[in-house]
Amino acid sequence: LHQQAEQTCRQLVRTQEEHERLLQAAVEQAEGLEHSLRSAEAVLAERAAQLKDTQAQLSRNKLLIKDLREENRGFAVALQAAELKQKSTEEKNQLLEEQASALKQLIGKITPASLSG
C-alpha cells in the first residue's frame, strides 16, 4: 500500500509538472498573441491615420476641381463672347471691304470722266 501511495504520488507530481509546462506554454502563447495584437493595432492605427490624411486630401482636391470647373465655365462664357465679337468684326470688315471696292470702282469711273472733261 505504501508503494502504491508513492507511485500515485510520483504520478501526481509528473501530472502536476506536465500541467505546469502546459500552463507555461499557454502563458507564452498568450503573450505572443498579445504582442501580435498590439502590433496589428499599431499598424491599423497608422493605416487609419493615412486614410484620414488621404480623405482630407481628396476633400481639398474636390474643392479645387469645383473651383476649376467654375473658372472654366467663366472662360467658356468669355470665349463664346469673344467668338461672337470676332464674327461680328469679321462681318463688319467684309462689309467695309465691299464698300471700299465699290468706292474704288466709283472713283475709277469718276476720275477718267473728270480728266477728259
Side-chain angles (χ1 to χ4, degrees):
L1 191 63
H2 181 68
Q3 272 185 334
Q4 196 175 13
E6 284 180 2
Q7 190 178 9
T8 302
C9 186
R10 283 193 298 270
Q11 182 66 32
L12 286 173
V13 168
R14 283 194 300 270
T15 302
Q16 184 177 359
E17 288 172 353
E18 181 63 23
H19 284 157
E20 287 176 1
R21 281 195 306 276
L22 290 173
L23 178 61
Q24 182 62 33
V27 167
E28 290 173 2
Q29 184 179 14
E31 288 173 352
L33 290 172
E34 187 176 351
H35 176 72
S36 295
L37 178 61
R38 285 192 183 122
S39 296
E41 286 174 340
V43 169
L44 287 174
E46 183 180 339
R47 186 67 179 134
Q50 289 174 347
L51 289 174
K52 187 176 180 181
D53 290 345
T54 301
Q55 187 176 14
Q57 183 65 42
L58 285 173
S59 295
R60 288 190 295 272
N61 288 348
K62 283 181 181 179
L63 290 175
L64 287 173
I65 289 170
K66 181 182 176 189
D67 290 346
L68 288 173
R69 284 183 178 154
E70 290 175 11
E71 192 174 341
N72 282 346
R73 275 194 285 276
F75 287 144
V77 168
L79 178 62
Q80 189 176 20
E83 287 173 346
L84 288 174
K85 188 172 182 178
Q86 180 182 1
K87 184 177 180 182
S88 173
T89 302
E90 287 172 355
E91 289 172 354
K92 288 177 184 176
N93 189 35
Q94 179 66 31
L95 182 62
L96 287 173
E97 286 177 6
E98 290 172 4
Q99 289 175 350
S101 177
L103 282 173
K104 283 181 186 177
Q105 288 178 358
L106 184 60
I107 290 172
K109 290 180 182 178
I110 292 173
T111 302
S114 65
L115 291 176
S116 60

